[in-house]
Amino acid sequence: MGFSVTNECASSALADMVHAEPLELRYEPRSDELRSLYWEEGQAKRRMDARPGLWIAVAIYLLFSATDLLLIPDVAIYTITARFAVGVTALLILEAQLRRGVGTEWIDVTCAAAIIFGYVGWLCPAVISADKESVSYYMVFGTIFMMGANLFFTFRFNLSIVTSAIILCVLYTVNYFVPSTLTYKIVLGIFYISCFIFTSYVNWRLNEERYNVFLNALEAKIQHKEATERGQALLNLSRTDPLTGLENRRAIDEKLRDYWSDWQRSGSSFVAILIDVDFFKRFNDYYGHQEGDRCLILVANALADMIKQYNGSIGRYGGEEFIVLARMEKREQVADIAEAIRSTVENLALPHEQRRDGISVVTVSVGAALTRPQIGAKLEKIIHEADRALYLAKAGGRNCTWLFDPNDPQSSDESENIAALLKIAIGQDLVSLVYQPIQNVASGRVEAVEALMRLKMLDGTSVPPSLFIPVAERTGAVLALGRWAIRTVCAELLADDHVGVVSVNVSPIQLKTPGFAASVATILSETGVAGSRLALEITEGLEMEMHSGILRCISDLKLLGIRIWLDDFGTGFAGLSWLRLIDFDTVKVDRSFLHDCGTPRGKAMLQDIIALVRNRGHKILVEGVETDEQMAIVREFDIDKIQGFHVGRPAPAASFRARPITYKRPFSVVKSA
């Protein structure tokens, strides 16, 4: 196509999205800051737990009134009154604080004070009981308040210590004055100290454990946020053209589906506009790839600014081709936006002295198609119509616009002609295969070939795969073509051991079709070819939905020994899910990542993708190796296999039969390209 994706600024900006660390991770907080953050984040929980905690504590405190009646009945009326007074007062103060929104630390103080006054309020009337022996033993219950301060509430450690220490002091004071033997005082004193030390230690450990849980949760939160940001960056990257910063073809195809669904559901009409830079190959050849990139960026920026007026979407659809989608109802509106697109680029006045058509600046040809009731139910139709209009605009002299008219004889739908051609392609020998070698990087030997489908018209004119493959999938002709391709590779190269492995691309339609795996097994049996010598390639894409039939079919194919590959990995986000669901033998990394290695960030992106695949245990094949510099990169990254013009161009089967190649082990994949 004569274009180069090497613009460093755009590539760097996109790579930054993935490699830039979140700002929070660049600063290492100190321990005291972490402690402060821990208590700040814990305030909400302590505040929420305070109300039920104090209510439960007061309820239990009041229930112990029964023991007062049992053990110290002569002063029970006073102790019970004290219990109710302290309990009710504490609850009223707490509710008032919660209503007024006072600080959490004051709520903690209220709960701690409730424990202290609850103990003192009960103990003061209890010690005046005439039954001193019961009182001396009943005082043991004071340790319950100590445990409440250390274990029941989640106070700060210093507040728990102060509260339990106050209770300990009160216990010792009362223990000193209550009549009892010295042995009793010593034993009970040791018990109080032991309880204080034990509960304080447990409280300290619990606080440390809560803090460690907080640190782990904080680390997990940061890691999750970073992973989410990187995942979103990868998703954005997979939907963004690395040169122009516009949406790429994958993203614009998603938007096209949304526009189409709205039109089918509610009749919201829209226009699809294809834009092609005129004589761009000549521009690229004369001014160089860097200027070619600059030209595309300037055109993209100008069109993006202009399209905002129409609330439309613009994306890069190919080398020098752009696409615009906008909601419109009338042909007059379409004519206006198409002319605005043409004039916007012309007004940039970018020099182009190699046109030889009387114009010396960069211009574009514009083809548009508007939805209409007779367009049919397939969304590809509107793109075909826009493409046909673009062809007529270019045929009309370029630097002009053309709106598809179904009543114009020149606007006949080319896809219908291709659909008719596909019906007779196999019978008339109009379809053929060529094979591109795949090389083992370590050994330097070719270990497999990839089958590529070719189609010609009755007059011998070639039809690009980008045209006939979508039509074949839409019409179902891909089923017959797929079976023919598998049978042909078996007969031409595999049956007589001319090559070790041939890979063939399969469509989601084939994988969804019942009996596909059985038909492949039949072909292998009839040709006498082992399944391990055939590789079927699945292209990563949105259309490869998580269909149970597809997964079942893949499982059946693997039982035959057939190798399953994932193609074009990295061009979409869906591939991560497929790596999780399917044990691929080999993953092919899309050529765009290798070609973007001219910048440090582009190289880092390729390294990240290779690391991701390698961690899953898959073999790695990099596509599009065309230069010695790219070969050096794949050696540096220890890639397993490569494919591209540096290894060999697609050639007929006879080229491989004439000079057989020795293979170490099966490799794989077949694709129409």
Side-chain angles (χ1 to χ4, degrees):
M1 295 291 290
F3 69 97
S4 170
V5 185
T6 58
N7 183 265
E8 183 171 349
C9 293
S11 300
S12 298
L14 290 171
D16 281 340
M17 296 162 58
V18 176
H19 292 285
E21 280 196 22
L23 291 177
E24 308 88 81
L25 300 181
R26 297 178 184 173
Y27 173 69
E28 292 293 337
R30 301 190 306 271
S31 177
D32 57 338
E33 292 177 327
L34 286 173
R35 287 282 181 182
S36 177
L37 180 62
Y38 164 63
W39 284 111
E40 285 178 9
E41 292 200 358
Q43 282 186 2
K45 186 177 188 307
R46 300 206 319 274
R47 193 180 190 86
M48 183 177 63
D49 292 344
R51 172 180 280 161
L54 189 59
W55 277 87
I56 293 172
V58 169
I60 295 173
Y61 178 62
L62 296 178
L63 286 175
F64 266 87
S65 298
T67 59
D68 293 346
L69 293 170
L70 180 65
L71 299 176
I72 48 175
D74 57 328
V75 294
I77 185 64
Y78 304 112
T79 58
I80 294 173
T81 300
R83 287 178 186 273
F84 274 90
V86 172
V88 172
T89 301
L91 292 177
L92 290 175
I93 293 174
L94 176 68
E95 293 298 328
Q97 288 178 324
L98 291 174
R99 286 179 179 276
R100 294 185 178 183
V102 301
T104 305
E105 63 277 6
W106 289 107
I107 293 177
D108 286 345
V109 169
T110 297
C111 293
I115 294 174
I116 295 171
F117 284 104
Y119 176 58
V120 174
W122 160 77
L123 190 60
C124 287
V127 295
I128 64 175
S129 172
D131 190 351
K132 299 302 181 181
E133 184 177 359
S134 294
V135 172
S136 64
Y137 288 114
Y138 201 21
M139 283 174 56
V140 177
F141 280 33
T143 57
I144 295 176
F145 295 88
M146 195 182 298
M147 287 187 287
N150 277 317
L151 306 178
F152 188 77
F153 291 94
T154 56
F155 299 145
R156 285 176 179 262
F157 182 67
N158 53 3
L159 181 60
S160 299
I161 290 296
V162 169
T163 304
S164 57
I166 291 173
I167 294 172
L168 177 64
C169 292
V170 173
L171 278 169
Y172 262 94
T173 301
V174 176
N175 187 39
Y176 178 79
F177 288 105
V178 171
S180 59
T181 65
L182 179 62
T183 302
Y184 170 84
K185 293 180 182 293
I186 293 173
V187 171
L188 199 61
I190 294 173
F191 174 73
Y192 292 158
I193 287 288
S194 301
C195 185
F196 173 77
I197 294 173
F198 175 74
T199 57
S200 298
Y201 173 75
V202 173
N203 182 25
W204 174 72
R205 290 301 302 268
L206 285 174
N207 272 287
E208 288 301 306
E209 187 62 29
R210 294 188 190 105
Y211 179 63
N212 290 332
V213 170
F214 161 77
L215 291 180
N216 292 333
L218 181 63
E219 182 180 7
K221 181 179 179 181
I222 293 174
Q223 291 177 347
H224 175 73
K225 182 179 180 181
E226 181 185 16
T228 301
E229 289 175 349
R230 289 183 181 273
Q232 186 61 45
L234 282 171
L235 178 60
N236 292 339
L237 186 61
S238 74
R239 296 167 53 84
T240 305
D241 175 59
L243 177 65
T244 64
L246 299 178
E247 292 181 312
N248 62 12
R249 184 162 186 163
R250 180 180 301 276
I252 210 71
D253 281 345
E254 287 183 26
K255 195 154 292 185
L256 176 62
R257 290 187 182 93
D258 294 338
Y259 275 72
W260 184 268
S261 297
D262 291 344
W263 178 67
Q264 292 280 334
R265 183 175 57 255
S266 60
S268 181
S269 184
F270 70 95
V271 63
I273 304 173
L274 292 178
I275 306 155
D276 189 81
V277 180
D278 297 327
F279 300 107
F280 184 73
K281 186 178 186 305
R282 292 183 183 178
F283 183 98
N284 225 18
D285 292 343
Y286 181 74
Y287 293 101
H289 292 305
Q290 288 187 340
E291 281 300 309
D293 289 350
R294 178 175 173 272
C295 171
L296 292 177
I297 292 170
L298 291 173
V299 169
N301 292 340
L303 291 179
D305 291 339
M306 190 276 297
I307 293 302
K308 290 178 182 177
Q309 307 172 35
Y310 297 88
N311 296 321
S313 302
I314 182 170
R316 189 179 179 195
Y317 215 53
E320 65 269 22
E321 191 172 54
F322 302 90
I323 183 171
V324 168
L325 301 174
R327 300 193 186 281
M328 294 188 171
E329 300 290 339
K330 300 178 180 179
R331 293 174 63 86
E332 292 78 9
Q333 294 175 308
V334 177
D336 289 342
I337 188 175
E339 176 56 28
I341 290 170
R342 188 206 64 78
S343 61
T344 295
V345 177
E346 186 177 38
N347 292 338
L348 289 174
L350 301 175
H352 190 345
E353 299 174 357
Q354 298 298 306
R355 294 178 55 121
R356 300 175 185 174
D357 64 345
I359 302 177
S360 59
V361 296
V362 171
T363 61
V364 293
S365 299
V366 182
L370 183 66
T371 51
R372 63 186 195 283
Q374 300 82 13
I375 200 171
K378 298 292 184 179
L379 67 84
E380 295 90 348
K381 182 85 169 187
I382 193 169
I383 297 299
H384 293 324
E385 291 183 352
D387 190 57
R388 183 61 181 170
L390 176 61
Y391 172 81
L392 293 173
K394 294 168 71 174
R398 294 183 170 83
N399 190 28
C400 64
T401 65
W402 198 286
L403 176 58
F404 180 86
D405 183 358
N407 299 319
D408 185 346
Q410 297 185 81
S411 298
S412 59
D413 193 346
E414 186 179 2
S415 68
E416 298 303 323
N417 296 331
I418 295 176
L421 186 68
L422 291 174
K423 292 181 180 179
I424 62 171
I426 296 176
Q428 297 289 330
D429 292 329
L430 301 177
V431 65
S432 60
L433 294 177
V434 292
Y435 302 89
Q436 186 172 25
I438 297 170
Q439 185 184 78
N440 182 297
V441 177
S443 67
R445 291 191 295 174
V446 172
E447 294 195 350
V449 295
E450 177 184 8
L452 306 172
M453 189 173 291
R454 299 290 184 255
L455 177 69
K456 62 182 179 181
M457 303 183 74
L458 292 172
D459 61 1
T461 304
S462 296
V463 181
S466 59
L467 289 180
F468 76 79
I469 292 299
V471 176
E473 291 184 331
R474 176 170 61 85
T475 60
V478 70
L479 298 176
L481 289 173
R483 288 192 295 270
W484 173 87
I486 294 173
R487 186 178 295 277
T488 300
V489 299
C490 289
E492 285 187 339
L493 294 180
L494 294 179
D496 295 326
D497 295 329
H498 294 296
V499 298
V501 172
V502 179
S503 63
V504 181
N505 186 273
V506 293
S507 164
I509 297 174
Q510 293 170 268
L511 296 175
K512 290 180 184 179
T513 303
F516 174 72
S519 67
V520 175
T522 300
I523 293 172
L524 294 175
S525 176
E526 292 175 354
T527 56
V529 174
S532 61
R533 299 181 61 201
L534 178 66
L536 299 182
E537 181 178 316
I538 300 173
T539 300
E540 176 189 354
L542 294 173
E543 69 277 3
M544 283 297 293
E545 58 194 16
M546 303 302 177
H547 192 284
S548 59
I550 290 180
L551 298 176
R552 193 179 308 111
C553 179
I554 291 174
S555 177
D556 292 342
L557 292 169
K558 290 179 75 69
L559 289 176
L560 296 173
I562 295 172
R563 307 301 177 99
I564 304 297
W565 285 20
L566 179 62
D567 188 26
D568 295 338
F569 179 72
T571 57
F573 208 58
L576 297 177
S577 298
W578 285 103
L579 282 181
R580 179 174 57 84
L581 289 173
I582 302 171
D583 183 20
F584 291 99
D585 298 282
T586 298
V587 174
K588 295 181 70 175
V589 178
D590 185 73
R591 68 184 66 230
S592 61
F593 292 97
L594 178 63
H595 291 182
D596 197 33
C597 282
T599 66
R601 290 180 176 84
K603 191 173 181 180
M605 173 61 71
L606 176 61
Q607 191 171 16
D608 285 348
I609 290 177
I610 290 171
L612 173 64
V613 177
R614 184 163 285 139
N615 288 339
R616 295 290 299 174
H618 307 296
K619 292 290 185 181
I620 301 173
L621 187 154
V622 173
E623 301 176 295
V625 180
E626 299 174 356
T627 65
D628 291 336
E629 291 78 8
Q630 292 170 347
M631 188 67 192
I633 291 174
V634 300
R635 290 187 184 279
E636 177 185 346
F637 290 162
D638 196 25
I639 303 301
D640 300 299
K641 315 287 181 179
I642 60 171
Q643 184 179 5
F645 292 163
H646 192 276
V647 178
R649 294 178 179 270
S655 300
F656 297 91
R657 290 199 296 264
R659 188 171 56 189
I661 305 169
T662 303
Y663 299 84
K664 278 186 177 180
R665 53 173 292 185
F667 202 23
S668 54
V669 185
V670 171
K671 171 167 78 174
S672 298

